[in-house]
Amino acid sequence: MATTEKMTLNMGPQHPSTHGVLRLVLELDGEVITKITPDIGYLHRGVEKLSEHRTYHQVLPLTDRLDYLAPMHNNLGYILTVEKLLDIQVPERAQTIRIIMAELTRLESHLVWLATHALDIGAMTVFLYAFREREVIMETYELISGARMTSNFFRAGGLSQDVPPEFEKKVRDFIDAMPGNLDQYEGLLTTNPIWLKRTIGNGVITAEDAIDIGITGPALRGSGVDWDLRRDNPYSGYENYQFQVPVGEKCDTFDRYKVRLVEMREACKIVTQALDRLKPGPVLADCPQVCYPPKENVYNSIEGLIHHFKIASEGYPVPEGEVYQGVENPKGELGFYIVSDGSSKPYRMRIRPPSFVNLQAIEKMAKGAMIADLVAVIGTLDVVLGEIDR
Amino acid sequence: MAENNRAVVKLKEKFASSIVEVVEFRGEVTVTIKKEDLLAVLAFLKQALQFNLLTDVTAIDYLGKREERFMMVYLLYSIPNKDRLRIKAAVSEAECHIESATQVWAAANWLEREVYDLFGITFDNHPDLRRILMTPDWEGYPLRKDYPLQGPDREPYKGRLS
């Protein structure tokens, strides 16, 4: 009589779908997964601890390294929290540019998700196409901030500088072409029998379970929960924009794929609306205690130089209190919780990382699935380990 | 005003003796409660007031600043009501443990493991309380204020020598 034996298998961190820093200890019955124990922490950099030893301004470069596929979003979440503590208002032009960059970042993040998710499942053409479009967004980053990924473009009170004149045309050309590109991706995947067989009915998690385990963002909307922070707790003026929040029905990998593709189309609509309302004006609040002086003042006057030096070396004091601000990151709700003791450094800064909480659901989503389907489940959660391990 | 907040009104009706402090800052309401009543308050907020999403769990180390060293922080959100609430409970260093919120939300599992890993606060009745970011044999709790920034057994950073 044949006997079966359970096997334990380490998937990752070397497996391409596990991003080099995620290890999943699988218990297998044949090829069926009976238990998953994720092992994270390979990348832990101690960002929260480091933040307690830096001024509010010096913390900013740490934030865009958390989720390196959505650096501007991370900057935005942090900056909004600091602005909430400081209680300062941001000029309208800066708000509008923030929204343009946030939505371009959403597109960028979703493009990398689509590319790698499709590649994990075996579709390489989409990978090449999506990276072609992502390159344009990288060029836009470089155009406005000088860096392709770690942008550091936002500042408490506005932006580090205004965008150059060619920015608007470059973004508009890109956004006008995106719907056609999205049709191209969908043409390759949405009716592809292999894609459908690998995604439909795979990684199912009900709305109730998803909320209980704390999933947010497109993964939650894929389970049919109509909730988006941009619409439900608006920030940066999102309440002035028209866009749809897509939701899924079957709570599976295919629904999450469709939700993200519709989100990309909606992001294009938001960027177009923002470009239409972009008017000349200041990009930094009139708040000399917090905002750096214009560069011409720093170079040409001793007062400007002292002003710049004082903020750079001492930082700015922030009123005592505690605030939380969540933003709709491409992965879900990214939140910053800052406790201020009235000094120029955060007493405690907690980052609420969407990928960390979302990954917690992997056991529920993949238990009982075949081992090959686990690759699709990892991809559909769109995790970035830099954000998980911090 | 915090006194008019829907959740605060209900909590004052039902858990008047458990509430230590109610604070509003920048439009955000924080309710500090006694740690022994934490689970009952969280369960009530979820079931009766529809705070169905546990956004985050974290802790603060008030070393030398307050009598009870740690403060547990629970960030709650109600998807139906689009409402946020922050619940806090003080934990002393001598009795460094608190009831696990996993009994109310599954989301608390990894979040509490992280607090345990980095602050050393233990959670009673947690289903799988192990370190999550640090290695199992790691000594000390890195997010405590008395844990050195450079790590143990290392000289403090003195800046670049060049």
Side-chain angles (χ1 to χ4, degrees), chain B residues 89-103:
Chain B
V91 177
S92 67
E93 194 174 4
E95 289 185 32
C96 202
H97 62 96
I98 193 166
E99 202 65 31
S100 170
T102 49
Q103 298 161 78

Side-chain angles (χ1 to χ4, degrees), chain B residues 58-86:
Chain B
T58 188
I60 308 165
D61 182 1
Y62 285 111
L63 177 67
K65 288 179 182 278
R66 294 192 183 185
E67 193 181 335
E68 289 180 309
R69 178 172 175 179
F70 300 105
M71 185 66 84
M72 282 301 303
V73 184
Y74 301 81
L75 304 175
L76 313 186
Y77 188 77
S78 167
I79 293 176
N81 298 318
K82 302 177 176 54
D83 197 10
R84 283 195 194 281
L85 184 68
R86 189 155 49 237

Side-chain angles (χ1 to χ4, degrees), chain A residues 188-232:
Chain A
L188 286 163
L189 295 176
T190 307
T191 53
N192 181 331
I194 300 172
W195 182 258
L196 299 179
K197 286 212 168 189
R198 295 293 303 274
T199 56
I200 291 178
N202 182 17
V204 174
I205 186 159
T206 62
E208 196 179 21
D209 283 345
I211 294 171
D212 188 41
I213 217 156
I215 294 178
T216 50
L220 180 65
R221 291 189 282 276
S223 289
V225 181
D226 185 14
W227 179 56
D228 188 313
L229 280 176
R230 292 174 294 171
R231 184 198 60 196
D232 299 328

Side-chain angles (χ1 to χ4, degrees), chain B residues 89-161:
Chain B
V91 177
S92 67
E93 194 174 4
E95 289 185 32
C96 202
H97 62 96
I98 193 166
E99 202 65 31
S100 170
T102 49
Q103 298 161 78
V104 185
W105 294 277
N109 191 327
W110 281 23
L111 296 168
E112 287 182 346
R113 278 178 66 188
E114 193 181 333
V115 172
Y116 165 70
D117 188 1
L118 304 178
F119 283 93
I121 300 169
T122 53
F123 293 88
D124 303 334
N125 299 312
H126 189 286
D128 183 25
L129 196 63
R130 291 180 291 123
R131 283 192 181 270
I132 190 165
L133 293 176
M134 314 304 284
T135 55
D137 58 346
W138 193 268
E139 287 181 15
Y141 305 103
L143 276 182
R144 286 189 174 187
K145 288 286 181 185
D146 51 3
Y147 190 92
L149 177 66
Q150 294 291 313
D153 308 323
R154 288 183 66 182
E155 288 288 312
Y157 181 62
K158 296 191 179 76
R160 292 178 63 180
L161 298 174

Side-chain angles (χ1 to χ4, degrees), chain A residues 51-286:
Chain A
S51 303
E52 294 173 4
H53 295 264
R54 279 159 173 72
T55 65
Y56 283 91
H57 184 69
Q58 288 169 337
V59 172
L60 186 67
L62 300 176
T63 63
D64 53 21
R65 283 151 176 81
L66 296 168
D67 175 358
Y68 33 78
L69 300 181
M72 292 249 185
H73 258 288
N74 295 1
N75 283 174
L76 182 62
Y78 171 71
I79 281 299
L80 287 174
T81 317
V82 176
E83 284 167 358
K84 200 178 203 180
L85 269 170
L86 290 163
D87 199 20
I88 56 175
Q89 299 300 316
V90 179
E92 195 179 335
R93 182 175 170 82
Q95 295 268 36
T96 312
I97 294 171
R98 281 181 179 186
I99 285 191
I100 294 171
M101 293 318 299
E103 291 308 314
L104 284 178
T105 302
R106 188 179 314 281
L107 281 166
E108 185 222 338
S109 176
H110 281 3
L111 281 168
V112 176
W113 155 78
L114 180 67
T116 53
H117 187 38
L119 190 69
D120 283 347
I121 295 181
M124 193 174 179
T125 311
V126 178
F127 176 88
L128 299 171
Y129 287 179
F131 266 76
R132 179 187 63 192
E133 271 71 78
R134 177 184 182 256
E135 186 60 25
V136 181
I137 301 176
M138 294 282 93
E139 286 170 7
T140 313
Y141 269 45
E142 195 173 357
L143 180 71
I144 62 167
S145 72
R148 282 168 58 83
M149 284 183 86
T150 49
S151 53
N152 271 310
F153 185 56
F154 301 152
R155 293 286 181 274
L159 310 172
S160 66
Q161 59 190 340
D162 204 346
V163 293
E166 61 268 37
F167 169 80
E168 192 174 336
K169 183 178 183 309
K170 189 172 181 66
V171 175
R172 211 178 274 278
D173 288 349
F174 172 72
I175 288 299
D176 289 346
M178 262 317 274
N181 295 325
L182 288 163
D183 291 343
Q184 206 173 23
Y185 312 147
E186 289 224 56
L188 286 163
L189 295 176
T190 307
T191 53
N192 181 331
I194 300 172
W195 182 258
L196 299 179
K197 286 212 168 189
R198 295 293 303 274
T199 56
I200 291 178
N202 182 17
V204 174
I205 186 159
T206 62
E208 196 179 21
D209 283 345
I211 294 171
D212 188 41
I213 217 156
I215 294 178
T216 50
L220 180 65
R221 291 189 282 276
S223 289
V225 181
D226 185 14
W227 179 56
D228 188 313
L229 280 176
R230 292 174 294 171
R231 184 198 60 196
D232 299 328
N233 284 134
Y235 52 90
S236 293
Y238 266 111
E239 63 274 22
N240 303 317
Y241 294 82
Q242 301 295 319
F243 62 98
Q244 299 297 316
V245 177
V247 290
E249 289 170 2
K250 298 195 177 72
C251 320
D252 57 8
T253 302
F254 185 76
D255 271 8
R256 289 186 282 274
Y257 156 76
K258 281 296 285 180
V259 162
R260 288 196 181 97
L261 280 178
V262 177
E263 276 190 15
M264 288 162 85
R265 294 182 191 276
E266 295 300 318
C268 294
K269 290 181 192 167
I270 296 171
V271 173
T272 307
Q273 291 172 52
L275 285 171
D276 290 343
R277 66 169 63 196
L278 198 58
K279 301 282 184 299
V283 292
L284 206 52
D286 183 17

